[in-house]
Amino acid sequence: MNKPPIHPYIILFIGVLSISTAAIFVKLAGDAPASIVAFYRLSLAVFIMSPYVLWKHFDEIKQINQKDWIMAGLSGVFLAFHFILWFQSLSYTSVASSVVLVSLQPIFAFIGTFIFFKERFTIGAVLSLVITITGSVIISWGDFQISGWALVGDVMALLGALMVTGYFLLGQNLRKRLSLMTYTFLAYGSASVTLLLYNLILNQSFTGYNGSQWLIFLALAIIPTFFGHSLFNWTLRWISTSTISMAVLLEPIGAAILAYWLLSEPVTWSQWLGGSIVLFGLMMFIFSTTKKVKPKITHAHQKQ
């Protein structure tokens, strides 16, 4: 295996920092509707990907059967509503709470594999499930003490995690037959169409945003998407899947630090305590399920 031009852990750090910016950019988008922010994030990403995908993967796309087209389309629908719910949650609750709660996706995914694919629970997985739920309750209770709307934001973030689980479960099956780039392109494309229709139905404006907001839309399409998860895919050649999964758990910490620094958002005691418990539970989950669901956890984080 060739020596990498840059140390993989440096690239991994850049990837974590990049995905940590997503929630910050959404907050900085100001009065732009969550569904519009989501639409431009994904549609611009598709626009940027198109030349490469159509050049390198056009033959693969032509050979996709009808069933896989339907599944890719449906996975995009789940991804679209993940972004709608998660981005909207940031209008009601803090970056720290929202990002920690949406990070519960691996737990939802494991429950999904148990329901649909009869994946067996290990003792470690059950304990980690209890721990993460406990942490989530602490965060939500603390936010409810501050504002009922903050609790609404927490619920939206959890529903966002649930939606991305649907995206993950459909993608898990499709990725056995499609390359990562092709699948991502189709899912992002489907999500973009879904968000286009959603915004048209709600009569949201696609124009009228200021220069800063357009730059934020573009930054969302590039930084957390390409500098985040594309770099994670690059590091897979030199770093184990479980290590990358653990690194992704640093996103809530990075996002909370950036929110404190850039948005002056304080972190409450319940967010510190609950967030720490959730992250501990997720780490325990990864350790206890790495051998059983290693490929699944890594793919789950390719959506951010």
Side-chain angles (χ1 to χ4, degrees), residues 43-72:
S43 60
L44 288 172
V46 170
F47 178 78
I48 293 168
M49 294 170 66
S50 293
Y52 177 82
V53 173
L54 295 178
W55 176 44
K56 287 285 189 179
H57 299 273
F58 187 66
D59 289 339
E60 181 185 8
I61 292 174
K62 288 194 300 183
Q63 296 172 7
I64 298 173
N65 60 45
Q66 184 179 17
K67 179 182 177 182
D68 285 351
W69 274 109
I70 293 172
M71 290 183 65

Side-chain angles (χ1 to χ4, degrees), residues 22-206:
I24 308 301
F25 285 134
V26 174
K27 284 274 193 178
L28 291 173
D31 59 356
S35 56
I36 288 291
V37 178
F39 168 74
Y40 280 118
R41 172 179 178 170
L42 287 171
S43 60
L44 288 172
V46 170
F47 178 78
I48 293 168
M49 294 170 66
S50 293
Y52 177 82
V53 173
L54 295 178
W55 176 44
K56 287 285 189 179
H57 299 273
F58 187 66
D59 289 339
E60 181 185 8
I61 292 174
K62 288 194 300 183
Q63 296 172 7
I64 298 173
N65 60 45
Q66 184 179 17
K67 179 182 177 182
D68 285 351
W69 274 109
I70 293 172
M71 290 183 65
L74 187 58
S75 71
V77 172
F78 276 106
L79 183 63
F81 281 96
H82 156 69
F83 279 123
I84 290 171
L85 288 162
W86 178 36
F87 287 3
Q88 190 64 56
S89 77
L90 290 162
S91 299
Y92 300 111
T93 193
S94 67
V95 167
S97 293
S98 179
V99 178
V100 167
L101 294 173
V102 87
S103 295
L104 288 172
Q105 181 273 328
I107 299 296
F108 285 119
F110 192 67
I111 294 172
T113 57
F114 171 76
I115 295 172
F116 296 108
F117 304 122
K118 308 305 179 185
E119 185 77 60
R120 294 182 61 187
F121 278 99
T122 63
I123 294 176
V126 173
L127 287 175
S128 64
L129 181 64
V130 172
I131 290 170
T132 53
I133 289 174
T134 301
S136 302
V137 169
I138 292 173
I139 292 172
S140 299
W141 177 252
D143 285 350
F144 178 70
Q145 298 295 100
I146 298 172
S147 164
W149 285 113
L151 181 60
V152 170
D154 292 348
V155 172
M156 284 184 170
L158 285 170
L159 290 174
L162 188 60
M163 287 293 111
V164 83
T165 301
Y167 163 73
F168 155 72
L169 291 174
L170 287 166
Q172 184 66 29
N173 184 276
L174 280 171
R175 282 285 287 116
K176 296 175 183 177
R177 297 180 296 281
L178 302 178
S179 66
L180 174 65
M181 187 63 74
T182 296
Y183 167 68
T184 303
F185 180 72
L186 295 180
Y188 282 13
S190 169
S192 297
V193 172
T194 302
L195 287 162
L196 175 64
L197 295 174
Y198 181 89
N199 284 304
L200 287 173
I201 291 170
L202 293 184
N203 199 29
Q204 302 282 25
S205 175
F206 290 89

Side-chain angles (χ1 to χ4, degrees), residues 4-8 11-12 229-238:
I6 303 175
H7 198 290
I11 299 299
L12 189 62
H229 300 285
S230 294
L231 292 183
F232 289 150
N233 291 327
W234 181 85
T235 60
L236 276 170
R237 186 176 180 185
W238 292 279

